[in-house]
């Protein structure tokens, strides 16, 4: 075990901690950002530090530092114990943890092409070529492009004998074209708004074919300026895999976080309509074809790893099976309250943040039979929504409204004219109950979001969402003034 | 953090600039922040998270032959600082030349501001925070409500130095306490306080305020899509002002043609004046921005007319003017951001705001707002922690939370009256000092379910 981790645990135990764990995390990130051809964001960041979490008198304390000297480790471990004792003053119910076996081993993100071995010149050139191609489209006002590689070396140890070592690698990239005319500002992105992210090497960025998509992205942004707004009405809608990923994220991912269900985010992000009595009742979350899983083992998923940040092995857990609520994303503390073991979802945004229940890869399972293209082909009259532009959902994750960058009419099974500023809105259970078609494995895409915010202070997390596109009936579209 | 920490962190920033020169940079900037953050969170009346973190981060920006590279990390030893500088210079050499070139802050005089640092900052230890949480929870419980919330204390010493002669440093502190009280009848209430230190914060009064509103919120009635006059409380108005600041009052947004904030145009009702003033002691001030430029008071809207947008060094240079001191740390793709916003108070008491409304809504707070059409400031979001029907000039019944899809610009134009009391509300990033307002019409496009 890393000596500083051992020292932190020993100090905490000697001061009265009944349980302690510690993480030594180094995070290196290399990012290229280009705005309208101007590379003013060529950045390397490198941070390292240790976080110590302790249980004393049944209450939690946590302290962190980036000064990795023995005396500082002693100070931080002692501070964590003091904080826990303070917590115990206002903690009437002692924390109890599940009894997962001690975690031991090593895990590393599989990378075909280690992104940190690809010369930065090459990564700059790849991105600059795509950015230039977007700007070559007449009418494009400004562009933004991003390429990033992040690696975390994470050592974990706990007083129960756990000791794991992980090397987690993420890559991501994005291109975005913007067109502006009078009161209109239209945007198109690839592969997703804010970028696409995977647990993978640079092969993921190469596979996105940024240059090959750049002209299309620019052209669509300009074309949208002239497109009519999407008229209001109740329509059949088809969501592309990227927008469906965010729909899953907001309306299934967050409400199945069990800490949220128990109210620990009530003063910030909110609570959940999926209360635990609904688990016992077999609550109908969606139609029979809707099955959703939390799967930290899926290769390439942005939320894949070996162990979570309290030493629970990565696993696949069903949340919704054939439309029925069957599980939650849990931690060692929350899972026993529903009589289960942790689902392994505790993660922290760096060494200086406390682990929280975070989405891993929350995936809508593909349904064999029809690809997304075939679903569109069998739809007589509908609207196809692609690439998120804005999102909003209430504090219990029921009432939502999304806007996408683009929509197309579906008429007689074919994609037709463009609509600008498209929106749709609904309520989570009735929306998912109206889902009558989900694409099969041929259309399945592992999407990645890098900006999932939760907790105070806010922690940003990379999460994955596998989705293959889906159709929903009788949905309100064209909501609001435009 | 002692007064000596200012000199130590300033020295570290200047050592960063020296290291950049040694590494081969023509010019450069060093930004250093030493921070201590502590936060106690509570839910269901009990503390469930309680954390503290210390750290020092150094960001070095190297300019070499008109090219720029940025490296950040810890710099606990001179060797580590040299390594960071070397990395920034190597990155700069890989980059294409910037045209127009990057601009660094020069040796402008930076007058100190009052109120950036509270001598009380850091005096609240975990035991004191726990006791404060106990008082807050008890005050809410007196109304039959259960407390959720957080008590956050941040302290930092920030320094920026450049090869152009900028050398700025100061201590900053912030304490923020917020709570949501939940009543068994289904009502929820919210209260928060923010300041440069814990001294001015009374946890009991926050628990009392949120508890009172929670106790009024039970048995909410349903309301469908509608256009109604509204009174927005300061928390909701803060969201409105802050969102407009992000979307439009930025030199970059104006430069790129995506801003509604064209100086000289009318964008608000005649009573609306909005400033951004990082030098106001009541607005969690800062004497310099994240590029080392001195901060300035900027009048964004004066009696309904847009007067100016904020600038950082880049947008100011391209616009042929000086920075207003609104820069963020490099790299910054978002452009300058107003972070110390204040809307002028009016003369109306709360009863005056409500009195003319025959049928409308009183809304305490917005939740999860996001722009649907940024150019028009068309925003969707939900009401939260207090939405009430107003009938014949008085608050009568709670209403189940509503979704709105409304142009915040139209709302600004539609302001009919402004409250005389204002409240400081923390946003991310920054603060807004906001009054309550009455707006003639606000569009609600849906509602949540029971």
């Amino acid at each position: 075990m890393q000596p500083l981790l051992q020292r932190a645990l020993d100090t905490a135990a000697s001061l009265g901690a009944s349980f302690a764990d510690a993480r030594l995390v180094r995070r290196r990130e290399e990012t290229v950002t280009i705005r309208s051809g101007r590379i003013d964001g060529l950045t390397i960041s490198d941070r390292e530090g240790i976080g110590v979490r302790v249980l004393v008198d049944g209450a939690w304390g946590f302290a962190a530092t980036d000064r990795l000297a023995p005396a500082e480790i002693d100070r931080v471990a002692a501070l964590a114990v003091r904080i826990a004792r303070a917590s115990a003053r206002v903690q009437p119910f002692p924390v109890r943890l599940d009894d997962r076996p001690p975690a031991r081993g090593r895990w590393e993100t599989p990378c075909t092409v280690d992104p940190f071995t690809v010369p930065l010149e090459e990564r700059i050139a790849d991105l600059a070529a795509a950015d230039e191609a977007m700007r070559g489209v007449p009418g494009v006002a400004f562009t933004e492009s991003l390429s990033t590689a992040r690696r975390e070396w994470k050592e974990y140890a706990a007083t129960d004998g756990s000791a794991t070592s992980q090397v987690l690698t993420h890559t991501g990239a994005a291109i975005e074209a913007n067109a502006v005319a009078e009161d209109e500002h239209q945007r198109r992105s690839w592969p997703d708004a804010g970028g696409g992210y995977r647990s993978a090497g640079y092969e993921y960025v190469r596979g996105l074919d940024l240059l090959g998509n750049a002209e299309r992205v620019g052209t669509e942004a300009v074309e949208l300026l002239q497109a009519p707004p999407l008229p209001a009405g109740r329509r059949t809608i088809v969501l592309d895999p990227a927008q469906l990923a965010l729909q899953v994220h907001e309306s299934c991912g967050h409400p199945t976080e069990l800490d949220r269900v128990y109210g620990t985010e009530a003063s910030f992000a909110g609570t959940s309509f999926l209360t635990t009595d609904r688990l016992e009742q077999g609550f109908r979350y969606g139609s029979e074809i809707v099955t959703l899983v939390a799967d930290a083992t899926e290769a390439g998923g942005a939320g894949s790893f070996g162990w979570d940040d309290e030493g629970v092995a990565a696993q696949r857990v069903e949340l919704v099976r054939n439309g029925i609520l069957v599980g939650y994303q849990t931690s060692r503390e929350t899972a026993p309250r529903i009589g289960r073991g942790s689902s392994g979802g505790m993660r922290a945004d760096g060494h200086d943040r406390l682990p929280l229940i975070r989405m891993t890869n929350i995936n809508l399972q593909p349904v064999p039979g029809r690809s997304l293209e075939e679903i569109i082909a069998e739809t007589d009259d509908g609207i196809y929504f692609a690439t998120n532009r804005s999102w909003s959902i209430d504090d219990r994750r029921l009432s939502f409204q999304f806007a996408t960058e683009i929509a197309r009419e579906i008429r007689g099974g074919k994609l037709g004219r463009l609509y600008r500023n498209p929106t749709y809105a609904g309520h989570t259970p009735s929306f998912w109950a109206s889902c009558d078609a989900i694409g099969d494995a041929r259309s399945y895409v592992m999407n990645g979001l890098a900006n999932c915010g939760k907790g105070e202070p806010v922690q940003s997390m990379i999460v994955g969402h596998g989705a293959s596109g889906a159709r929903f009936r009788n949905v309100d579209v064209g909501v609001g003034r435009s | 953090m002692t007064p000596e920490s200012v000199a130590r962190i300033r020295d570290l920033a200047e050592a960063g600039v020296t290291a950049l020169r040694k590494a081969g940079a023509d010019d450069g900037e060093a930004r250093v922040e030493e921070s201590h953050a502590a936060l106690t969170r509570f839910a269901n009346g009990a503390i469930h998270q309680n954390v503290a973190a210390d750290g020092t981060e150094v960001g070095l920006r190297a300019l070499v032959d008109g090219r720029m590279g940025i490296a950040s990390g810890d710099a606990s030893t001179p060797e580590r600082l040299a390594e960071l500088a070397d990395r920034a210079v190597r990155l700069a050499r890989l980059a294409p030349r910037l045209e127009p070139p990057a601009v660094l802050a020069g040796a402008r005089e930076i007058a100190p501001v009052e109120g950036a640092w509270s001598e009380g900052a850091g005096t609240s230890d975990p035991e004191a925070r726990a006791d404060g949480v106990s008082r807050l929870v008890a005050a809410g419980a007196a109304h039959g409500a259960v407390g959720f919330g957080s008590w956050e204390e941040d302290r930092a010493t920030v320094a920026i130095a450049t090869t152009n002669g900028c050398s700025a440093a100061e201590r900053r502190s912030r304490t923020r306490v917020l709570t949501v009280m939940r009543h068994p009848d289904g009502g929820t209430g919210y209260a928060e306080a923010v300041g440069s230190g814990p001294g001015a914060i009374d946890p009991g009064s926050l628990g009392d305020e949120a508890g009172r509103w929670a106790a009024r919120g039970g048995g909410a009635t349903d309301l469908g899509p509608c256009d109604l006059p509204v009174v927005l409380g300061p928390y909701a108005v803060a969201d409105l002002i802050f969102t407009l600041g992000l979307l439009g009052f930025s030199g970059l947004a104006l430069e790129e043609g995506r801003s509604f904030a064209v100086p000289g145009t009318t964008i608000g009702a005649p009573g609306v004046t909005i400033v951004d003033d990082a030098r106001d002691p009541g607005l969690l001030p800062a004497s310099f921005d994240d590029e080392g430029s001195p901060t300035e008071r900027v009048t964004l809207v004066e009696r309904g007319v847009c007067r100016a947008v904020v600038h950082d060094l880049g947008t100011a240079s391209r616009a042929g003017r000086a920075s207003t001191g609104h820069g963020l740390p490099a790299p910054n793709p978002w452009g300058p951001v107003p972070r110390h916003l204040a809307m002028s108070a009016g003369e109306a008491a709360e009863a005056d705001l409500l009195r003319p409304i025959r049928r409308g809504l009183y809304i305490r707070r917005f939740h999860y707002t996001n722009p649907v059409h940024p150019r028009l400031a068309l925003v969707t979001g939900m009401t939260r922690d207090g939405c009430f029907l107003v009938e014949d000039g008085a608050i009568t019944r709670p209403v189940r939370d509503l979704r709105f899809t409304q142009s915040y610009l139209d709302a600004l134009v539609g302001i009919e009256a402004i409250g005389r009391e204002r409240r400081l509300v923390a946003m991310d990033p920054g603060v807004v000092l906001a009054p309550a307002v009455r707006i003639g019409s606000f569009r609600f496009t849906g509602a949540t379910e029971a």
Side-chain angles (χ1 to χ4, degrees), chain A residues 127 130-131 134 144-146 173-177 188-192 195 209-211 213-215 217:
Chain A
L127 196 65
D131 194 77
M134 287 191 292
E144 278 190 77
S145 304
L146 165 83
I175 57 172
E176 176 190 302
R188 283 296 282 141
S189 310
W190 172 257
D192 200 354
D209 190 14
L210 299 176
L211 180 58
N213 282 281
E215 186 180 344
V217 164

Side-chain angles (χ1 to χ4, degrees), chain B residues 393-448:
Chain B
I395 293 172
T396 54
R397 294 173 284 159
V399 173
R400 203 176 310 287
D401 281 319
L402 295 166
R403 170 165 297 288
F404 62 88
T405 307
Q406 166 70 43
S407 164
Y408 273 6
L409 277 179
D410 289 348
L412 204 65
V413 169
I415 289 176
E416 297 175 342
I418 300 173
R420 62 189 179 205
E421 307 290 337
R422 292 187 294 175
R423 181 156 204 156
L424 191 64
V425 183
M427 308 301 291
D428 184 18
V431 290
V432 179
L433 183 62
V437 301
R438 184 177 67 240
I439 297 172
S441 179
F442 210 82
R443 185 161 205 205
F444 298 93
T445 51
T448 192

Side-chain angles (χ1 to χ4, degrees), chain A residues 38 90 266 394 396 427 481, chain B residues 47 100 256 378 384 447-449:
Chain A
R38 183 182 169 89
V90 195
D394 73 27
R396 290 186 303 142
H427 289 86
R481 286 182 180 141
Chain B
I47 291 174
E256 292 178 338
L378 183 72
R384 183 178 173 184
T448 192
E449 293 176 338

Side-chain angles (χ1 to χ4, degrees), chain A residues 76-368:
Chain A
V76 163
L79 178 59
V81 169
R82 179 182 171 190
I83 289 172
R85 288 212 162 93
S87 303
R89 296 179 179 205
V90 195
Q91 166 54 292
F93 308 107
V95 170
R96 306 233 180 273
L97 301 179
D98 75 356
D99 54 359
R100 65 114 171 87
R104 288 193 164 273
R106 187 173 191 284
W107 193 88
E108 190 164 335
T109 303
C111 294
T112 305
V113 181
D114 183 341
F116 294 92
T117 66
V118 178
L120 258 168
E121 295 95 318
E122 183 179 331
R123 285 181 267 164
I124 293 168
D126 288 349
L127 196 65
D131 194 77
E132 187 178 349
M134 287 191 292
R135 285 181 289 117
V137 175
V140 168
F142 63 97
T143 58
E144 278 190 77
S145 304
L146 165 83
S147 176
T148 186
R150 177 198 284 187
R151 177 160 289 157
E152 264 190 355
W153 293 263
K154 189 184 294 187
E155 306 286 332
Y156 172 86
T159 49
D160 64 7
S162 293
T164 64
S165 177
Q166 299 189 77
V167 182
L168 306 170
T169 304
H170 290 95
T171 52
I175 57 172
E176 176 190 302
N178 293 267
V180 178
E182 296 178 348
D183 277 346
E184 280 302 327
H185 169 198
Q186 295 297 329
R187 177 183 95 191
R188 283 296 282 141
S189 310
W190 172 257
D192 200 354
Y197 297 84
R198 290 265 180 91
S199 293
Y202 196 66
E203 69 276 6
Y204 170 61
V205 177
R206 286 180 178 150
L208 291 173
D209 190 14
L210 299 176
L211 180 58
N213 282 281
E215 186 180 344
R216 174 187 62 79
V217 164
T219 302
E220 287 179 353
V222 175
E223 285 177 354
L224 278 166
L225 290 175
Q226 303 304 322
L230 179 61
R234 287 182 78 82
R235 304 291 295 271
T236 293
I237 72 169
V238 176
L239 302 183
D240 81 325
Q243 174 57 27
L244 189 56
L246 196 68
Q247 181 74 51
V248 167
H249 180 94
E250 300 289 2
S251 66
C252 177
H254 281 304
T256 55
E257 295 162 348
L258 194 54
D259 55 352
R260 188 181 174 111
V261 172
Y262 286 136
T264 55
E265 294 294 324
S267 62
F268 183 61
T271 59
S272 172
F273 73 100
L274 292 173
T275 46
T276 53
D277 56 321
R278 291 187 157 177
L279 180 68
E280 293 154 14
Q281 294 160 3
F283 177 73
R284 178 156 288 285
Y285 174 89
S287 68
E288 287 192 353
I289 61 172
V290 174
T291 293
L292 290 144
V293 300
D295 187 356
T297 68
E298 184 156 330
S304 295
F305 47 76
W307 296 268
D308 76 357
D309 286 338
E310 52 179 13
V312 178
Q315 55 198 277
R316 181 181 188 276
V317 178
E318 283 191 321
L319 305 172
V320 173
R321 183 192 308 138
N322 300 329
I324 304 298
L325 176 70
V326 295
Y328 291 99
Q329 304 166 73
T330 64
S331 61
R332 295 190 65 199
E333 179 182 353
T334 56
R337 296 176 65 179
I338 55 168
R340 298 185 184 183
S342 170
S343 71
M346 288 285 272
R347 291 195 287 161
D349 181 12
H351 71 273
D352 56 354
R353 295 290 183 262
L354 188 69
L356 303 172
I357 295 176
R358 304 310 302 261
M359 293 177 223
T360 54
N361 304 300
I362 310 299
N363 306 329
L364 177 64
Q365 296 300 277
V367 174

Side-chain angles (χ1 to χ4, degrees), chain A residues 38-54:
Chain A
R38 183 182 169 89
I39 303 182
D40 51 11
L42 189 53
T43 308
I44 296 179
S45 69
D46 206 336
R47 291 191 69 209
E48 187 172 19
I50 191 168
V52 183
R53 186 178 71 148
V54 303

